Structures are given as C-alpha cells and as structure tokens.
Amino acid sequence: VTIKQDVIDGLDPESTVMGLSSHVGEQVSVRDLLYGLMLPSGNDAALVLADYVGGGISGFAEKMNAKAAELGCTDTHFANPHGLYGQNHYTTARDMALIAKHAMTIPGFMEICNTVYYTPNGFNTLHNTNYMLDPDAEGGAYYYQYTKGIKTGYLDEAGKCLVTSSDKDGDKYLCVCLGAAFS
C-alpha cells in the first residue's frame, strides 16, 4: 500500500501512530499496517488501510457497518476506521463481543493480537498496548499468562476499554470492558 500525504493529513494530531508520516510515498505491506493498527493503536495505519480497502473513510465505514449488521450487531454505528470520538460512532459491549468473536476466526488475526513486539521493515519497534500480554510491562502488574489479545483503547469520552480473551485448559473466555475510569 502506498502511503499518501492526503490520507495522513486527515489524522488528529493527538492520535497514537505507527509512524507513517515519515514514509509518505513509500510502500508498506498490509500485514505491517495491521500490526501498526493493532499493537500501538496506530490511527495513521487505520486511515491508510481504510483508504486502501474502502476508498476512503466513508466507504470503509459503510463496509464496517454492513459487516456489523451481518454479524447481528444492533447498537453499533461506525463513522471512522480508528475509533476516535464521533457523535455517530458508537457501539456496545455485546456488539464488540460479536465482532471480536468473528475476528478471532480470521486467519492471522490472533497472531497479530498476541504479538508483544513487532518491527515492520523500516520502522521503529511497535509495542502492544495490552499489558496483560507482556510480563515485562509495568513490572508485570497486569500480566496474565492465559491472555489472548485482543485490543485496548481509551478516549476521554469513552474511558478505558478492553476486548480480550483467555484460554486455559480448553476453557475459553471473551471479556469486553467499556467505560472504565481513568485512575
């Protein structure tokens, strides 16, 4: 995928990024962009992928909404690919669980979500924001050996959010926490 300046220009300056602004005009693999999206919450990667797959934010949001409806989501509406605040961008824990359950069946998805460190070609090393996966993060305070991905997030408007799973002795769990307080 070619990194386009006009796509990167649409990025909120407060966004977390994978570092695509210094790679405008270069080609980056979809795989590297997915790692950049999922590990550090790279909103620049979200915009580039949305442009590539959906022909822009609105086209990608339409595809996301159609897929959500197909999965049985009844209280979700996507307005952007990165999850930053928007009045018409919302979901519920139930719908996030449906989306996560489906995503977990996509080949390669859980491999990406379970990766703690990844270095895309020509980039700095990316670190997963899910400290439950990393025994070294925060002195191991959040580490849980049975954790399997998936995604962290936070916004002032939404609080801290986490979609994660675990697998121990064949028992599988999916957990969706939305709106946790900042401490």
Side-chain angles (χ1 to χ4, degrees):
V1 178
T2 301
I3 309 304
K4 301 177 193 172
Q5 185 66 54
D6 63 325
V7 173
I8 298 297
D9 287 343
L11 188 63
D12 181 319
E14 305 268 327
S15 284
T16 54
V17 296
M18 78 172 278
L20 293 174
S21 62
S22 59
H23 295 271
V24 171
E26 296 177 21
Q27 297 255 317
V28 178
S29 73
V30 168
R31 183 173 187 78
D32 283 352
L33 289 169
L34 289 171
Y35 275 97
L37 170 70
M38 296 302 291
L39 273 62
S41 296
N43 295 327
D44 51 352
L47 291 174
V48 169
L49 286 165
D51 183 65
Y52 178 71
V53 173
I57 290 174
S58 61
F60 189 71
E62 285 177 28
K63 289 177 183 278
M64 290 171 49
N65 288 320
K67 187 63 175 184
E70 177 187 318
L71 295 174
C73 299
T74 56
D75 294 304
T76 292
H77 185 268
F78 294 110
N80 64 61
H82 43 57
L84 294 176
Y85 178 76
Q87 190 169 351
N88 292 321
H89 190 89
Y90 53 85
T91 193
T92 63
R94 175 194 172 273
D95 286 359
M96 276 287 100
L98 290 172
I99 293 166
K101 187 175 176 183
H102 170 72
M104 292 169 73
T105 69
I106 297 170
F109 177 79
M110 290 306 292
E111 175 187 336
I112 292 169
C113 293
N114 285 317
T115 300
V116 177
Y117 294 100
Y118 180 79
T119 307
N121 189 26
F123 287 81
N124 292 327
T125 298
L126 306 174
H127 182 240
N128 197 316
T129 57
N130 186 348
Y131 293 162
M132 293 175 72
L133 295 169
D134 186 356
D136 297 322
E138 302 292 319
Y142 303 103
Y143 177 70
Y144 182 65
Q145 67 180 343
Y146 303 108
T147 299
K148 304 290 181 203
I150 294 178
K151 189 72 201 93
T152 64
Y154 65 90
L155 293 172
D156 290 340
E157 299 86 355
K160 291 184 177 181
C161 302
L162 172 68
V163 178
T164 192
S165 65
S166 65
D167 186 347
K168 180 182 179 195
D169 300 330
D171 293 322
K172 298 180 183 203
Y173 302 91
L174 179 63
C175 176
V176 179
C177 298
L178 305 178
F182 289 92
S183 55

